[in-house]
Structure formats: C-alpha cells, structure tokens
C-alpha cells in the first residue's frame, strides 16, 4: 500500500495518527451560502479536517505520518488569561478524502463524519437524470 504521499508503509503509525485524530481532531463538513461578485447566491461546501494542540512536536509528528496538510500557529487572544498558544494542522477537500479513507478502518468516534466525506466525493450522481423532468402520475382512487 505504498502511496506517493506516504514515505512509509507502517500501519502502526497510521493507526496512531488515526487514534490521535479520533480523539483530538475535528471534521468540518457543511454546506453554506456564498455570494459571487454579480450578486448571485450559490451553495458551497466546506470539507476540512483539523487537529489543534499546544504541543508543536506532537503536531509535527502527526504531519510527518500523514504527509498532507499544513501547520499554522494560533496565538492566544486578548483576555485569554491562563491559556497557551496553539498549533493547528489542517487539510481540506481531496486531501481530506485521502485521509478519510486512510483513517476509516481505525476510527470510532469520527467514523460517521469520515463516511460523509467519502460519500461526498465518491458517490456517483446520475447526471443524465438531473436535467430531465419526469411526469407526475396520480393514482386513481
């Protein structure tokens, strides 16, 4: 199962990363309204996976295992006494699909959301039927 994004084939590391994500991760799978410059409103999907922690070494280790996404720093805000700086790993869209497939066998709590991501990208929609209007037939009673 060697993948070009994964420099290794260690299922133990993948299971560790999946477990860490299952406990500390977050999945955003939501459709929301957007407005283009001409004023037309359309629906847009937000598909993303995220892990936020205060330990940079743990986030770097996670990133080295999964091989996709990016790490960002989020400092503490005003009035956040006693809180620590946070590091966030994040990936979205096709990279999220790749990780959803990778983590699915090891996931427990995030399994339903991972399945939503997989179904979103891999379910084949019947495009030939979308433009057709079907006649409505009333039953005679």
């Amino acid at each position: 199962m060697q993948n070009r994004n994964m420099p290794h084939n260690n299922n133990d590391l993948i299971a560790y990363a999946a477990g860490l994500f299952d406990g500390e991760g977050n999945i955003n799978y939501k459709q929301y309204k957007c407005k283009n410059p001409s004023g037309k409103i359309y629906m847009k999907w937000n598909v993303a996976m995220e892990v936020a922690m205060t330990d940079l070494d743990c986030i770097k280790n996670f990133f080295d295992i999964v091989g996709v996404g990016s790490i960002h720093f989020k400092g503490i805000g005003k009035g956040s006494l006693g809180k620590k700086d946070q590091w966030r790993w994040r990936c979205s869209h096709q990279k999220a699909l790749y990780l959803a497939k990778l983590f699915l066998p090891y996931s427990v709590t995030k399994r339903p959301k991972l399945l939503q991501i997989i179904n979103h990208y891999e379910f084949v929609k019947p495009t030939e039927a979308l433009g057709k209007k079907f006649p409505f037939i009333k039953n005679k009673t």
Side-chain angles (χ1 to χ4, degrees), residues 20-141:
L20 181 69
F21 182 80
D22 215 32
E24 297 293 326
N26 182 32
I27 297 176
N28 296 321
Y29 180 78
K30 186 176 179 182
Q31 192 175 26
Y32 58 96
K33 293 180 182 178
C34 274
K35 190 184 287 189
N36 65 9
S38 67
K40 183 179 177 185
I41 296 175
Y42 63 97
M43 299 303 285
K44 184 176 179 180
W45 281 97
N46 179 17
V47 179
M49 299 170 72
E50 182 176 272
V51 175
M53 301 181 92
T54 58
D55 186 9
L56 177 60
D57 290 333
C58 192
I59 290 287
K60 281 184 179 178
N61 188 25
F62 181 82
F63 174 75
D64 290 340
I65 292 169
V66 298
V68 295
S70 59
I71 298 174
H72 299 282
F73 174 75
K74 182 179 186 283
I76 56 173
K78 291 181 180 178
S80 299
L81 296 175
K83 296 199 175 185
K84 295 181 179 180
D85 290 337
Q86 200 175 68
W87 295 92
R88 291 185 179 186
W89 166 89
R90 189 173 198 277
C91 76
S92 62
H93 305 295
Q94 292 294 324
K95 292 175 184 174
L97 170 64
Y98 163 73
L99 283 181
K101 289 181 187 177
L102 194 66
F103 288 171
L104 189 63
Y106 307 102
S107 181
V108 178
T109 60
K110 302 287 190 289
R111 188 175 184 83
K113 287 282 191 177
L114 292 175
L115 286 169
Q116 280 183 331
I117 292 173
I118 293 169
N119 288 336
H120 177 80
Y121 285 106
E122 295 200 342
F123 179 70
V124 178
K125 296 159 187 82
T127 56
E128 70 277 354
L130 293 177
K132 294 181 182 176
K133 291 189 175 183
F134 296 99
F136 179 72
I137 301 171
K138 286 185 177 180
N139 288 337
K140 293 183 180 180
T141 55

